[in-house]
Amino acid sequence: MGPKNAKLFEKLTGGPKVLDILWHLPVDVVDRSAAPKLSDVKPGQVITVEVTVDKHAPNQRKSQPYRVWCRDESGEINLVFFHMGKAWLEKMLPVGEKRVISGRVEFYNGTPQIVHPDAVVKPEERDEIEKLEPVYPLTQGLTNKIVRKAVKGALGFIPTLPNWLDEAYKKRNQWPDWHEAIKAVHFEKDTDIPVKARTRLAYDELLANQLTLALVRSRMKKKSGREFKPAGMLREKLIKALPFALTGAQKRSLAEIDADMESPLKMLRLLQGDVGSGKTIVAALAMLNAVECGAQAALMAPTEILARQHYEGLTPLLEGLGIRVIALTGRDKGKEREVKLQQIANGAAQVVIGTHALFQESVEFADLGLAIIDEQHRFGVHQRLELSNKGKGTDVLVMTATPIPRTLTLTAYGDMDVSRLDEKPPGRKPIDTRLIPIEKIEPMVEGLKRQIANGDRVYWVCPLVEESEKLDLAAAEERYDILKHWIGERVGLIHGRLKPEEKDAVMQKFAKGDLDVLVATTVIEVGVNVPEATIMVIEHAERFGLSQLHQLRGRVGRGGDKSYCFLLYTGPLGETARERLSVMRETEDGFLIAERDLELRGAGDILGVKQSGLVFFRLANIEGQGELLAAAYDDARLIIDKDPELKSPRGEALRTLLYLFERDQAIRYLSSG
Ligand code: ADP
Ligand code: MG
């Protein structure tokens, strides 16, 4: 295909590769076998008939339809076109000639018509119209016909692959072979969806996912861990220094972490806690276990800003205990970086806080005992592994604020042990959340001005425009200009295109109170902590995922003052959209929100997974196929128990499966021994 179509296919299917196209499954199938006489057609019927073109009735104005009158021996039909060139239509439907047309019939003033027929071909090309035509999800610029052609082309490339399924299981389910399955899902033999073929492909995908996680886990667990049995002096001191008491959930999670760190097995734990649930202090206390025993601890954040914030928040606490903390990010260069690397390598740095710069090969730890990874959904499975590989038997704690429902936890983390911070620190006031139609923006801003005069600070998050950073930016800049005009000079703008230093500078100004309003694209999504910010405005809230809205809302309500979240929407809202936004008004429970979002939208959207690289299933449908997932989980564990290196014939076939789903990383763990 040409570069233009390749781009569109990438947008539609995730890539122009053969498999990307083959995994783009039809959502429906149209039966085009009906070929009635025109006098017999019924409203709503899809027909494929041979007609003679009678006359063209071009439109007088652009907004009017262009009609082409056709007939057979029994009656008439109109073909109706909007915004199509006259010359082109005359070429496609020459007066006096016969054409075969296909499309859905409707009636207008008693005459049957087809608006934009799906196919118009010469009588001798009739076979080009498929009797049963699969219907694919499309994107602007790609027609079903083009997608269909690409699918047919792609099918020509598929080889016969070895079977990676358990034979008995496959037989019991009456599943077809892989290549049969992939053909079946595109060439429907009747109007029913080929359920068995689809289920089989979904299972393949889930198995690849579970097998990857099982491999990673077995690699991690195989290396035995360390036994950290600190007396707890440092912890005692730190807890005494805190201005608050730990919540029950924090204590419980810490006890679970302590038990893991004490045990000779490697810790592989997920600390799941909603925004503001107090994960950072749990992380700090866990680090003390390692440090007190003479080992190092590392904390990795997904962004510079967040790494800095952790550094600034934790350093006073830790240095108060006489612990040496350093920050390492991609921004450290030259001499300074050298010095830091040395301190990490010789153990002078006891706690290291940074970004993924910590992964780099040049970073060597003297003795990394605990690796903590914050806001993990931005990192991939292999990155987790890499950081922990920087030490011997390093314990791993992953922290996530994404409230992932149970089923999804399994797909994302396999059987990592989970601690949950399901209790918020006391004293938080609920965030007053309101839905506001965009027409009411001016009175809302008037209200904001009064609140700003009282010392409140405002985040203003700008619309997420369809996968385009450039458009996001344009929208944010426009809003920024307007708000400056309305509110005054103390308005700042932050977005993904700024250099890290520039982002920091703006962020600092907002944190210090030199700015009243911070206009942002979604870059502030992760972790930022400005307790004085009490108002969150989210524009085009209807375009965000609920979990994303929840995360954004979590940026306010961090201080003692009452906070607000204004969800600006552009109507009219559909029923689902309205329901979704109402969920935000009704609850602040991240898990509940995630569950509702899953019900209302589906797994793909809930996590914004396309951006996050977490779990993105093309073929499986987690909401409906929980049992299949459980089966894949069991299967994967059995496979790894029996054949940990994937060396048996089935193991070899499973390697192919992993390649198909681009789980090459997992295969590399196998070969790296
Ligand atoms: P998150 O889980 O989103 O990372 P943080 O660790 O940033 O949450 O904590 C949010 C805020 O709550 C911080 O200001 C922190 O000092 C405070 N905090 C944490 N634990 C408690 C507690 N037990 N009681 C009161 N405040 C707490
Ligand atoms: Mg945090």
Side-chain angles (χ1 to χ4, degrees):
M1 75 182 61
K4 193 166 147 259
N5 276 353
K7 249 214 163 99
L8 291 171
F9 268 100
E10 184 153 353
K11 185 168 168 219
L12 182 65
T13 70
K17 294 195 296 297
V18 167
L19 274 173
D20 292 319
I21 291 168
L22 289 179
W23 283 337
H24 189 64
L25 303 186
V27 285
D28 201 358
V29 53
V30 179
D31 184 349
R32 298 194 184 281
S33 57
K37 280 195 265 180
L38 287 179
S39 55
D40 293 344
V41 298
K42 295 178 192 65
Q45 193 179 19
V46 174
I47 60 168
T48 305
V49 291
E50 187 171 309
V51 295
T52 306
V53 181
D54 255 349
K55 65 172 183 202
H56 281 234
N59 46 335
Q60 303 306 317
R61 268 178 283 128
K62 266 221 162 99
S63 57
Q64 291 175 335
Y66 184 121
R67 292 180 175 272
V68 181
W69 291 73
C70 303
R71 64 178 158 76
D72 67 3
E73 59 286 357
S74 74
E76 285 182 319
I77 191 163
N78 275 196
L79 304 182
V80 181
F81 299 90
F82 291 90
H83 306 292
M84 299 271 269
K86 183 164 183 283
W88 198 74
L89 288 169
E90 280 173 348
K91 189 161 166 250
M92 183 167 72
L93 292 155
V95 173
E97 290 196 20
K98 286 190 192 307
R99 286 291 181 268
V100 176
I101 55 166
S102 186
R104 190 175 298 277
V105 177
E106 52 191 57
F107 277 74
Y108 181 76
N109 284 343
T111 306
Q113 65 174 31
I114 295 177
V115 179
H116 287 241
D118 302 321
V120 176
V121 299
K122 294 181 183 152
E124 61 270 25
E125 294 164 346
R126 186 176 186 128
D127 287 349
E128 281 181 16
I129 303 176
E130 292 182 280
K131 286 227 161 72
L132 289 168
E133 187 189 29
V135 179
Y136 294 89
L138 299 173
T139 186
Q140 196 172 5
L142 284 181
T143 61
N144 203 54
K145 204 166 145 192
I146 300 175
V147 173
R148 195 68 190 129
K149 200 171 152 210
V151 166
K152 283 184 184 167
L155 279 169
F157 287 105
I158 58 167
T160 306
L161 296 173
N163 173 43
W164 50 75
L165 295 181
D166 177 68
E167 278 294 352
Y169 186 63
K170 173 167 171 268
K171 216 174 204 161
R172 191 149 19 100
N173 285 295
Q174 299 175 303
W175 284 344
D177 287 341
W178 183 76
H179 64 275
E180 275 172 32
I182 200 95
K183 275 187 194 148
V185 295
H186 290 288
F187 279 87
E188 331 258 336
K189 290 214 177 48
D190 50 52
T191 46
D192 293 334
I193 298 284
V195 176
K196 294 213 162 75
R198 282 202 178 216
T199 314
R200 189 235 137 100
L201 295 180
Y203 185 80
D204 287 341
E205 183 171 40
L206 293 170
L207 182 60
N209 165 267
Q210 289 301 304
L211 192 57
T212 308
L213 293 167
L215 276 169
V216 169
R217 182 181 168 85
S218 76
R219 300 283 308 145
M220 287 178 115
K221 281 270 168 174
K222 204 158 74 183
K223 296 184 190 134
S224 57
R226 316 244 311 238
E227 298 178 33
F228 291 115
K229 293 181 175 158
M233 277 140 37
L234 289 176
R235 173 173 300 185
E236 200 177 313
K237 271 195 205 157
L238 181 55
I239 288 180
K240 268 206 187 119
L242 290 177
F244 49 76
L246 296 181
T247 63
Q250 284 171 322
K251 285 186 194 153
R252 184 166 26 80
S253 299
L254 267 174
E256 287 160 357
I257 291 167
D258 291 347
D260 282 358
M261 292 185 75
E262 262 178 38
S263 103
L265 291 177
K266 205 170 144 86
M267 172 164 77
L268 260 185
R269 184 168 287 278
L270 178 68
L271 179 63
Q272 224 178 2
D274 213 342
V275 216
S277 60
K279 294 184 290 297
T280 316
I281 196 70
V282 174
L285 291 165
M287 290 199 279
L288 297 184
N289 285 347
V291 172
E292 194 170 315
C293 295
Q296 291 165 297
L299 171 59
M300 183 175 72
T303 64
E304 294 261 355
I305 292 183
L306 209 63
R308 188 147 302 271
Q309 211 161 65
H310 276 317
Y311 177 74
E312 279 160 12
L314 291 177
T315 306
L317 291 176
L318 297 175
E319 288 191 338
L321 305 173
I323 296 170
R324 176 113 178 84
V325 186
I326 69 160
L328 184 77
T329 70
R331 228 185 297 168
D332 293 301
K333 298 260 149 56
K335 186 95 182 80
E336 217 177 312
R337 181 164 186 275
E338 282 309 310
V339 173
K340 287 184 177 181
L341 289 184
Q342 246 168 37
Q343 291 173 332
I344 298 173
N346 67 22
Q350 293 163 286
V351 169
V352 186
I353 297 173
T355 54
H356 52 269
L358 295 180
F359 287 141
Q360 285 160 4
E361 250 169 62
S362 50
V363 183
E364 268 180 53
F365 286 83
D367 180 17
L368 182 61
L370 172 66
I372 302 181
I373 302 173
D374 189 16
E375 309 284 3
Q376 182 278 336
H377 62 284
R378 304 235 158 179
F379 298 108
V381 166
H382 59 282
Q383 282 172 308
R384 279 184 239 157
L385 188 68
E386 267 169 52
L387 184 61
S388 85
N389 275 348
K390 291 214 171 268
K392 285 198 185 64
T394 303
D395 285 326
V396 177
L397 180 68
V398 173
M399 305 199 290
T400 177
T402 314
I404 308 173
R406 281 237 175 269
T407 39
L408 288 184
T409 313
L410 199 58
T411 67
Y413 303 100
D415 47 0
M416 259 180 128
D417 304 304
V418 179
S419 293
R420 279 193 175 188
L421 292 180
D422 47 12
E423 175 190 351
K424 288 224 167 145
R428 296 265 159 83
K429 300 206 177 83
I431 300 169
D432 190 338
T433 301
R434 301 183 187 179
L435 308 187
I436 298 177
I438 190 75
E439 301 80 43
K440 300 254 170 75
I441 187 170
E442 289 195 49
M444 187 197 77
V445 169
E446 284 309 311
L448 290 185
K449 276 157 82 172
R450 284 192 296 275
Q451 288 177 290
I452 289 168
N454 280 334
D456 285 331
R457 264 173 252 171
V458 183
Y459 286 112
W460 189 298
V461 178
C462 276
L464 193 69
V465 181
E466 203 186 321
E467 286 169 28
S468 159
E469 206 189 336
K470 215 160 149 188
L471 292 178
D472 277 4
L473 185 52
E477 274 170 343
E478 194 185 327
R479 181 54 73 208
Y480 168 67
D481 287 339
I482 295 173
L483 287 176
K484 264 177 117 157
H485 179 69
W486 282 347
I487 295 175
E489 282 308 306
R490 287 162 56 87
V491 177
L493 173 66
I494 188 168
H495 55 77
R497 291 275 179 96
L498 291 180
K499 294 206 190 80
E501 303 86 64
E502 295 170 328
K503 273 193 222 168
D504 267 13
V506 179
M507 216 47 237
Q508 296 296 351
K509 272 172 109 176
F510 184 64
K512 284 212 307 257
D514 293 343
L515 293 173
D516 297 324
V517 180
L518 184 64
V519 180
T521 54
T522 47
V523 291
I524 59 159
E525 182 190 340
V526 178
V528 175
N529 195 21
V530 179
E532 296 83 0
T534 50
I535 300 169
M536 169 65 67
V537 180
I538 303 175
E539 215 172 310
H540 274 299
E542 76 281 0
R543 293 188 188 166
F544 289 84
L546 286 192
S547 292
Q548 213 178 358
L549 289 177
H550 176 68
Q551 299 273 321
L552 288 168
R553 180 170 61 182
R555 301 299 128 223
V556 297
R558 302 193 145 212
D561 294 334
K562 175 161 185 191
S563 295
Y564 297 86
C565 176
F566 299 121
L567 301 175
L568 278 174
Y569 65 88
T570 304
L573 291 181
E575 204 177 315
T576 312
R578 181 164 291 279
E579 212 177 312
R580 291 179 56 240
L581 290 182
S582 307
V583 172
M584 294 304 296
R585 206 175 40 195
E586 284 152 20
T587 181
E588 273 181 59
D589 180 332
F591 283 98
L592 201 68
I593 288 174
E595 304 275 0
R596 292 289 287 134
D597 209 11
L598 188 64
E599 277 166 37
L600 290 168
R601 297 221 312 180
D605 287 324
I606 192 177
L607 299 162
V609 280
K610 279 192 195 162
Q611 300 115 286
S612 69
L614 178 54
V615 257
F616 170 48
F617 292 107
R618 299 153 176 264
L619 310 168
N621 146 16
I622 297 301
E623 303 94 275
Q625 294 180 315
E627 273 175 44
L628 213 55
L629 177 64
Y633 169 79
D634 290 339
D635 200 0
R637 297 210 82 182
L638 266 174
I639 292 165
I640 297 300
D641 280 351
K642 281 201 288 201
D643 181 18
E645 303 290 323
L646 300 187
K647 290 230 164 93
S648 68
R650 185 179 178 207
E652 290 288 342
L654 283 161
R655 286 172 181 243
T656 307
L657 173 71
L658 293 176
Y659 275 118
L660 284 190
F661 285 95
E662 293 176 51
R663 305 289 185 164
D664 318 25
Q665 202 77 37
I667 296 174
R668 226 169 299 156
Y669 300 147
L670 286 174
S671 47
S672 71

